[in-house]
C-alpha cells in the first residue's frame, strides 16, 4: 500500500488492518480491514465508528484512507461489531461526499435480505429532494455473493463460503496478482472451512473464547505449515495467546501478500 503518497508497486494483495476487536471490546475497533485493489479500496466489514476507525488506521500506518476510495464493502454478517458502520457509511456517501454513485454492498443473499431491517429505522426517512421514502438501494448497490462462484470486486477475484456462526456468515478468499488472502469471518471451528481457507498465502482467522467462535487451542491442533500462515483477529480485550506462529494482528498493520 502506498504510504504518504509514495507510488505502490507491490503485486499481490495488500491489507490494511483497521480493527481487531471482538463484539465486547472497549479498546479496539471491530475486526475489519481495507484491501487495496486496482479500482480502489475494498472494505472487509464495516464496524462503527467507521470514520474514526479509518482515521486511526491511516495515522498508525501512514497509508492515506479516503472513504471516497471505497466503492465496495464485503459484509461477512450482520452482527453489530461487523456492520454498525453501514449507517454512517451510507449517509456519508449519500449526503456528505461529493462522489457520485452508490457503494456496492456484497453479502450473502440471506444477509442482504435482512440488512434493511437493521438500517431502515435510521435511514428510511424522506429522501433528500424527493419527499419519498428511502430504501437500501438509495444508499448501496446490493450485490449478492454466491458461494462457489468467483466474482470481480474492484479488479480482484473474490469468492466466499458459508461457515458456522450464530447468524448467516461468510468467509472470503481475495486473490490479486500471485497473492491470496483468506478471511475466516466469525466462525466456530470448522475443519471444512479451514480446508477451504488453506489455499491462501495468509489466513486471517478469528479467535475468541465465546460460544460460536474458534478457540486458540483448536487452531493450535492444525499442522505447523498451516499455522505459519494464520494471523489472529477478533481476540477479546487483554487476551494473551502463547508465543508461536499464529501472531495476533495489530490495528494499522499493513500485510503484503
Ligand atoms: Zn459475529
Amino acid at each position: 500500500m502506498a504510504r504518504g503518497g509514495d507510488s505502490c508497486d507491490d503485486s499481490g494483495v495488500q491489507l490494511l488492518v483497521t480493527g481487531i476487536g471482538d463484539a465486547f471490546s472497549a479498546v479496539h475497533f471491530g475486526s475489519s480491514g481495507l484491501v487495496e485493489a486496482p479500482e480502489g479500496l475494498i472494505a472487509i466489514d464495516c464496524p462503527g465508528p467507521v470514520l474514526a476507525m479509518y482515521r486511526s488506521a491511516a495515522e498508525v500506518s501512514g497509508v492515506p484512507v479516503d472513504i471516497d476510495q471505497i466503492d465496495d464493502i464485503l459484509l461477512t454478517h450482520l452482527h453489530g461489531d461487523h456492520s454498525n458502520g453501514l449507517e454512517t457509511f451510507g449517509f456519508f456517501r449519500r449526503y456528505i461526499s461529493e462522489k457520485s454513485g452508490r457503494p456496492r454492498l456484497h453479502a450473502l443473499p440471506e444477509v442482504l435480505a435482512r440488512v434493511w431491517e437493521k438500517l431502515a429505522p435510521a435511514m428510511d426517512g424522506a429522501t433528500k429532494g424527493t419527499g419519498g421514502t428511502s430504501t437500501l438501494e438509495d444508499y448501496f448497490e446490493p450485490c449478492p455473493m454466491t458461494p462457489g462462484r468467483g466474482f470481480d470486486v474492484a479488479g480482484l477475484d473474490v469468492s466466499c463460503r458459508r461457515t458456522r456462526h450464530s447468524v448467516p456468515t461468510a468467509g472470503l478468499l481475495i486473490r490479486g496478482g500471485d497473492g491470496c488472502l483468506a478471511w475466516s469471518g466469525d466462525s466456530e471451528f470448522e475443519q471444512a472451512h479451514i480446508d477451504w481457507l488453506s489455499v491462501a498465502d495468509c489466513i486471517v482467522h478469528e479467535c475468541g473464547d465465546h460460544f460460536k467462535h474458534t478457540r486458540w487451542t483448536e487452531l493450535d491442533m492444525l499442522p505447523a505449515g498451516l499455522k505459519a500462515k494464520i494471523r489472529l483477529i477478533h481476540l477479546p480485550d487483554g487476551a494473551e495467546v502463547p508465543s508461536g506462529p499464529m501472531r495476533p494482528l495489530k490495528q494499522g498493520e499493513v500485510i503484503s501478500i
Side-chain angles (χ1 to χ4, degrees):
M1 279 180 152
R3 288 184 169 89
D6 295 343
S7 63
C8 179
D9 56 5
D10 295 309
S11 59
V13 178
Q14 313 291 317
L15 168 70
L16 171 59
V17 179
T18 52
I20 61 167
D22 72 355
F24 307 105
S25 181
V27 180
H28 298 116
F29 298 111
S31 293
S32 58
L34 289 172
V35 173
E36 189 171 63
E39 297 160 20
L41 294 173
I42 302 169
I44 302 177
D45 282 336
C46 192
V50 64
L51 298 180
M53 180 179 77
Y54 291 152
R55 181 198 53 76
S56 175
E59 273 185 10
V60 173
S61 66
V63 175
V65 175
D66 179 352
I67 194 170
D68 284 347
Q69 294 175 283
I70 307 167
D71 284 326
D72 293 276
I73 301 169
L74 298 168
L75 183 66
T76 63
H77 67 302
L78 280 170
H79 278 153
D81 55 321
H82 299 261
S83 69
N84 277 350
L86 288 173
E87 178 186 329
T88 296
F89 198 110
F91 276 142
F92 187 92
R93 285 293 297 266
R94 184 163 177 80
Y95 294 122
I96 305 297
S97 169
E98 294 181 354
K99 184 171 185 178
S100 60
R102 300 164 297 163
R104 290 173 287 272
L105 183 60
H106 306 266
L108 291 170
E110 60 270 39
V111 171
L112 283 178
R114 301 197 68 182
V115 66
W116 192 240
E117 288 180 40
K118 175 188 180 83
L119 299 176
M123 301 182 80
D124 71 353
T127 303
K128 187 178 183 181
T130 69
T133 300
S134 296
T135 65
L136 177 66
E137 287 76 9
D138 287 316
Y139 297 95
F140 299 99
E141 179 185 342
C143 299
M145 303 193 302
T146 304
R149 187 187 306 164
F151 50 99
D152 180 273
V153 178
L156 297 183
D157 181 61
V158 178
S159 52
C160 71
R161 180 185 184 277
R162 288 185 179 90
T163 188
R164 297 205 297 249
H165 195 41
S166 54
V167 293
T169 302
L172 302 165
L173 290 174
I174 302 173
R175 294 180 174 86
D178 55 3
C180 180
L181 166 69
W183 190 276
S184 70
D186 281 12
S187 174
E188 63 181 65
F189 183 82
E190 184 192 4
Q191 185 61 53
H193 200 51
I194 296 278
D195 293 343
W196 183 77
L197 298 167
S198 67
V199 300
D201 304 292
C202 175
I203 302 168
V204 175
H205 205 290
E206 75 112 278
C207 184
D209 58 4
H210 301 292
F211 179 60
K212 293 293 181 183
H213 291 279
T214 299
R215 289 170 172 76
W216 183 90
T217 51
E218 294 170 317
L219 293 173
D220 191 47
M221 300 288 285
L222 297 171
L226 196 50
K227 288 197 288 184
K229 298 197 288 186
I230 291 177
R231 298 292 176 267
L232 303 177
I233 201 166
H234 210 278
L235 286 156
D237 287 353
E240 293 185 10
V241 298
S243 60
M246 297 190 294
R247 185 171 58 79
L249 289 168
K250 296 179 178 139
Q251 285 182 177
E253 186 173 356
V254 177
I255 306 285
S256 297
I257 301 146

